[in-house]
Amino acid sequence: MTNNEEPRWELDDELKTLSITFPTDPPVAFMLDAEAVSKLIDRVGQIRAEMLPSYQESWKGGQMVNAVLDPHWYSEPDALLGESLLHIRDPRFGWLHYALPRESARALGTLLLHQAAEGPDDEQEQHRKN
């Protein structure tokens, strides 16, 4: 595979099988069903978390993003520590799970309440990170 050639990604007509063809000589193709794609995404995500450079620790507000509109979510207390478990469904990656310590959950809840209201007057309160 040369630097300017990329794999070809194709979804079958029934939307059930992904074919990834690598432009090698001879070409190599992988056929993956939805379960295999989910496992691949999970494993690649685990490996990416170990790679350098890592993702930036903090987010700079005001950037354009491709956001998921009104995702399904579910929250419950952690059975062992009482932390808030936040589950958010991303159509690309499935259910993602986050454990928020009480202080972070409180800060997030307060900020979301302020944003859901007419909006805080103080610019500092519109953006908050932990």
Side-chain angles (χ1 to χ4, degrees):
M1 203 161 73
T2 64
N3 288 342
N4 60 354
E5 293 181 281
E6 294 184 4
R8 190 175 71 238
W9 303 73
E10 293 181 274
L11 190 57
D12 74 352
D13 293 339
E14 295 178 358
L15 308 178
K16 293 188 176 190
T17 304
L18 169 66
S19 173
I20 308 170
T21 305
F22 295 90
T24 56
D25 189 21
V28 174
F30 291 99
M31 306 277 291
L32 305 169
D33 63 9
E35 182 180 350
V37 170
S38 292
K39 287 179 181 177
L40 176 65
I41 290 170
D42 184 56
R43 186 64 183 128
V44 168
Q46 292 172 16
I47 292 169
R48 177 60 182 100
E50 298 174 19
M51 290 178 74
L52 297 175
S54 62
Y55 288 117
Q56 295 178 357
E57 278 293 317
S58 60
W59 179 258
K60 183 180 176 183
Q63 300 179 56
M64 293 293 291
V65 297
N66 184 15
V68 174
L69 180 62
D70 198 16
H72 293 282
W73 58 270
Y74 184 85
S75 184
E76 62 186 322
D78 176 280
L80 295 176
L81 302 175
E83 296 175 338
S84 291
L85 290 178
L86 179 59
H87 313 280
I88 301 176
R89 184 186 176 277
D90 187 304
R92 301 161 296 187
F93 307 113
W95 284 95
L96 303 174
H97 315 280
Y98 305 93
L100 300 175
R102 291 176 192 267
E103 185 176 323
S104 292
R106 189 175 300 111
L108 178 59
T110 300
L111 178 62
L112 291 174
L113 287 171
H114 282 287
Q115 290 173 346
E118 292 183 27
D121 294 331
D122 184 5
E123 179 71 18
Q124 289 295 99
E125 283 299 313
Q126 290 183 6
H127 311 289
R128 179 150 179 194
K129 51 190 171 186
N130 66 349

